[in-house]
Amino acid sequence: RHHEGHFTALPNSSIPSPRVALITGAGQGIGRAIALRLARDGYHTALDDMPSNKTALEETAELVRKRHSRNAITIYIDVSKEDQVGEMIDRTVRELGGLDVMVANAGVALLEPFIDSSMSVWEKTMNVNVFGIMLCYKHAARAMIAQGRGGRLIAACSIAGKRGDPDSAAYCASKFAVRGLSQSAAIELAPHGINVNCYAPGAIHTNLLDEVDKKYTAEEGEPVGSYIKKRAEGIPAGRVGTPEDVAGVVSWLASEDSKFVTGQAITVDGGTLFD
Ligand code: ADP
């Protein structure tokens, strides 16, 4: 199935506009918002999540089809397994006719005090947040090079990839690693017209933040929502971000307009952190 005609090449551009986007961790939150935004931008989408997240991912796919009339295929693989990532890329190219934008969004955030650091938390964090992104980049880049029309590799970083956070040593280390591997890949892939950039969100209002809020407010005996309110007070913009705030930045990183930007991690945090 090829889908010619949805995109027109820009005048004077030797690279046709991107057409197919693959988003991992697209079941909910930031990943779902990215999938819906890229579908709105005109991309057909391949959507990945863990098999345990099937209901949510199928819902994202339905939203892509109904709201934006774009194709959506769903793929259930673990991004930390190389053979599975290879299969995910092959299936995307086979069923959607190519791959132009890889958004390696899947990740885990496991918290523990540093002096209680456990190998299981560190291994899980590194497997998904570092090896998962490396594998998605590697196999997507190979497909893009074979295709010969450039592309975009985009990954989830965090403001925790730019400065330390309490109870987050493994998470911070993994997000710093994402920046390093992205910068290195950016240099090697630039001659192929493939740009490699990350988005680095601060506090974003997702289910995860609601859960943290619930836990915190229960422990402190405060009304629900007060943790989120407190977070918002520390942000110059006066609010926590939305998944759509992040998706807008990803939309730009995926676009032609970002073609001279590579190796960057764009902070999306309402003015909290300057680097
Ligand atoms: P956010 O707040 O960034 O939206 P989530 O935890 O909701 O955070 O999103 C991370 C996504 O990544 C989830 O949908 C989760 O199922 C997915 N994910 C986590 N680990 C893996 C993995 N090994 N392979 C594929 N997807 C994964």
Side-chain angles (χ1 to χ4, degrees), residues 24-32 48-53 56-57 76-81 105-109 124 127-129 132 156 171 199 201 204-209 243:
T24 66
Q28 72 288 313
I30 293 170
R32 174 180 285 184
D48 161 70
D49 214 310
M50 297 290 278
S52 55
N53 222 8
L57 193 69
Y76 296 94
I77 63 110
D78 180 341
V79 295
S80 67
K81 302 285 193 302
N105 169 75
V108 293
K124 173 97 186 149
N127 277 337
V128 181
N129 295 7
Y171 185 73
Y199 48 96
I204 304 296
H205 201 159
T206 60
N207 292 342
L208 201 78
L209 195 66

Side-chain angles (χ1 to χ4, degrees), residues 34-57:
I34 292 169
L36 294 180
R37 177 57 198 255
L38 293 182
R40 191 182 111 190
D41 291 345
Y43 298 87
H44 298 297
T45 62
L47 309 172
D48 161 70
D49 214 310
M50 297 290 278
S52 55
N53 222 8
K54 189 169 196 301
T55 313
L57 193 69

Side-chain angles (χ1 to χ4, degrees), residues 208-260:
L208 201 78
L209 195 66
D210 280 330
E211 271 166 41
V212 176
D213 181 84
K214 236 184 263 162
K215 189 162 169 265
Y216 170 88
T217 52
E219 276 168 12
E220 303 291 318
E222 288 181 26
V224 173
S226 52
Y227 172 80
I228 294 172
K229 209 166 141 236
K230 204 167 286 178
R231 289 295 296 265
E233 282 163 8
I235 299 172
R239 63 174 180 89
V240 298
T242 63
E244 290 72 24
D245 288 328
V246 180
V249 172
V250 173
S251 168
W252 175 73
L253 286 174
S255 77
E256 277 292 304
D257 281 345
S258 69
K259 63 178 170 296
F260 204 54

Side-chain angles (χ1 to χ4, degrees), residues 34-224:
I34 292 169
L36 294 180
R37 177 57 198 255
L38 293 182
R40 191 182 111 190
D41 291 345
Y43 298 87
H44 298 297
T45 62
L47 309 172
D48 161 70
D49 214 310
M50 297 290 278
S52 55
N53 222 8
K54 189 169 196 301
T55 313
L57 193 69
E58 293 302 327
E59 208 175 274
T60 304
E62 264 314 288
L63 289 169
V64 166
R65 296 182 196 114
K66 289 218 172 99
R67 273 195 206 159
H68 303 294
S69 308
R70 287 293 177 266
N71 285 349
I73 62 169
T74 52
I75 304 173
Y76 296 94
I77 63 110
D78 180 341
V79 295
S80 67
K81 302 285 193 302
E82 179 153 25
D83 54 337
Q84 296 185 25
V85 173
E87 281 163 26
M88 170 175 77
I89 303 292
D90 287 350
R91 232 193 101 188
T92 301
V93 171
R94 201 167 58 238
E95 295 187 23
L96 295 176
L99 177 61
D100 302 284
V101 178
M102 168 82 242
V103 186
N105 169 75
V108 293
L110 306 169
L111 306 184
E112 63 185 2
F114 178 67
I115 57 168
D116 297 330
S117 287
S118 58
M119 287 311 291
S120 65
V121 162
W122 276 79
E123 279 166 8
K124 173 97 186 149
T125 302
M126 290 298 158
N127 277 337
V128 181
N129 295 7
V130 182
F131 301 158
I133 285 171
M134 176 274 287
L135 291 170
C136 287
Y137 277 2
K138 173 186 163 182
H139 290 276
R142 284 171 168 242
M144 288 169 183
I145 290 167
Q147 231 170 234
R149 58 176 193 236
R152 297 283 188 270
L153 304 179
I154 302 169
C157 187
S158 163
I159 55 171
K162 301 197 172 191
R163 55 123 179 83
D165 256 346
D167 298 331
S168 310
Y171 185 73
C172 283
S174 76
K175 294 301 185 182
F176 271 75
V178 169
R179 290 174 59 209
L181 80 92
S182 298
Q183 290 179 14
S184 191
I187 296 167
E188 288 184 46
L189 296 170
H192 297 283
I194 299 171
N195 296 20
V196 189
N197 292 293
C198 307
Y199 48 96
I204 304 296
H205 201 159
T206 60
N207 292 342
L208 201 78
L209 195 66
D210 280 330
E211 271 166 41
V212 176
D213 181 84
K214 236 184 263 162
K215 189 162 169 265
Y216 170 88
T217 52
E219 276 168 12
E220 303 291 318
E222 288 181 26
V224 173

